[in-house]
Amino acid sequence: MKIGVMVESFKSSSIDSIVESNNPMQAFTTGVKKASELGAAGIQAYATFGALRFDEMNKTKIKEVLDIVKSNGLIFSAICGDFGGHGFEDKAENESKVENSKRVLDLAKELECDIVTTHIGTVPGEECEKKDIMRKACRELAVYADSIGSAFAVETGPEPCVTLGAFLDSLGAMGVRVNFDPANLVMCVADDPVKGVETLSKYIVHTHAKDGIMIGDREGWEELPLGKGGVDFDNYLLALNKIGYTGFLTIEREVGDNPEADIKLAKDFLTEKLVKLGLNG
């Protein structure tokens, strides 16, 4: 397993401030350099805003981005293609969202990356109109991703792994996979990440390294630095190893007063865990 960093996590403020940045390429370059200095093997970055915004990219910008990443000894672990909102729950929005998601998959390919991560909304446990709407959109994306040899990876968390796994099984194609976020499962649905790895094993192509706790009886949640929350990282990493996962553990830090310090803590934490468990190659 390799350690990656989401470049936007280095920002000390919200995503909104990155969108408003006067020089998104400079912000991206700074994040890439920081990831390299920490000793990460790869990065993840958004393609729905900022320096890599999919509808503003061209051959020149793609070459510039690849040069920045490669000159710092890194690769893309994944591209984030999350358009926000309600995922694919709204039929009226899905035509444009599906087409834009395909374009992000195409861009990722040009950036030498086969994985695009996203949120699709909350998959209902029972069959209903909303589930049919989500299934139609995801099936189209699964077929397209398969056709270009890529994966459109759904982030875990809004629903239990059993529900997500059954939904993916129903798509009839393997192009929609899983970006496994153990903290989301702990914080949002009180699901066990260790069992979840087994449940979703055939779909996992990327992971987020994040931690947190649920507050009360699903009254809310709190994201915490790695090792400070409810994720059992020893058994979680062993579970990933058991299914043969050799991809990225990409550090994501969405809150906190000093995200750069938290990212370094996370990198050190994961490195120590991989050595301790004999999973460092």
Side-chain angles (χ1 to χ4, degrees):
M1 286 175 254
K2 301 170 284 291
I3 298 174
V5 179
M6 180 170 275
V7 292
E8 288 82 7
S9 290
F10 282 110
K11 309 304 184 293
S12 58
S13 50
S14 69
I15 283 178
D16 290 340
S17 70
I18 306 169
V19 175
E20 296 165 3
S21 170
N22 291 326
N23 194 333
M25 189 61 76
Q26 183 179 14
F28 172 76
T29 303
T30 299
V32 171
K33 288 180 177 179
K34 288 182 177 181
S36 179
E37 290 166 2
L38 279 178
I43 56 160
Q44 182 180 11
Y46 275 81
T48 52
F49 64 85
L52 275 62
R53 180 171 170 143
F54 76 101
D55 55 354
E56 296 179 357
M57 293 292 280
N58 53 41
K59 296 292 184 183
T60 300
K61 289 185 72 174
I62 288 170
K63 182 180 184 303
E64 180 183 3
V65 167
L66 281 174
D67 286 347
I68 292 168
V69 174
K70 290 182 178 182
S71 67
N72 282 279
L74 301 170
I75 63 173
F76 282 105
S77 69
I79 299 296
C80 186
D82 186 7
F83 286 95
H86 301 285
F88 297 100
E89 297 176 2
D90 188 334
K91 185 178 181 180
E93 295 179 356
N94 279 357
E95 183 176 355
S96 62
K97 279 191 173 181
V98 167
E99 287 307 309
N100 287 339
S101 295
K102 289 179 182 178
R103 301 294 75 79
V104 174
L105 281 161
D106 292 339
L107 172 61
K109 208 73 173 174
E110 292 195 79
L111 292 171
E112 302 178 7
C113 179
D114 296 331
I115 300 169
V116 170
T117 68
T118 194
H119 291 85
I120 62 170
T122 302
V123 179
E126 304 298 325
E127 292 298 322
C128 60
E129 182 181 5
K130 184 174 87 168
K131 195 170 187 175
D132 284 339
I133 290 170
M134 295 174 70
R135 182 180 287 119
K136 181 180 178 181
C138 289
R139 179 177 288 133
E140 184 175 346
L141 284 165
V143 171
Y144 185 77
D146 272 344
S147 73
I148 63 172
S150 292
F152 194 63
V154 179
E155 188 161 331
T156 54
E159 65 286 306
C161 291
V162 170
T163 300
L164 178 58
F167 177 76
L168 296 180
D169 287 343
S170 75
L171 298 183
M174 288 293 290
V176 172
R177 300 290 189 99
V178 166
N179 173 40
F180 202 97
D181 189 316
N184 285 353
L185 294 170
V186 169
M187 294 189 297
C188 303
V189 288
D191 203 3
D192 180 359
V194 177
K195 292 180 181 178
V197 168
E198 181 178 357
T199 300
L200 296 172
S201 60
K202 65 182 176 181
Y203 292 113
I204 300 171
V205 292
H206 190 261
T207 75
H208 276 166
K210 197 166 71 181
D211 207 349
I213 57 171
M214 177 180 284
I215 298 173
D217 185 15
R218 307 195 185 192
E219 298 168 11
W221 62 82
E222 182 181 2
E223 184 190 323
L224 296 168
L226 258 62
K228 307 296 184 182
V231 178
D232 178 355
F233 273 95
D234 282 35
N235 286 314
Y236 168 63
L237 293 172
L238 288 171
L240 286 173
N241 182 65
K242 184 177 180 180
I243 66 167
Y245 180 75
T246 57
F248 274 90
L249 308 167
T250 298
I251 298 163
E252 181 184 33
R253 184 68 169 136
E254 297 181 294
V255 300
D257 295 329
N258 192 343
E260 188 168 348
D262 290 343
I263 292 168
K264 184 180 186 307
L265 182 152
K267 166 64 168 56
D268 293 343
F269 176 87
L270 289 172
T271 300
E272 290 171 7
K273 287 292 184 187
L274 292 174
V275 171
K276 171 190 169 184
L277 298 170
L279 305 179
N280 61 327

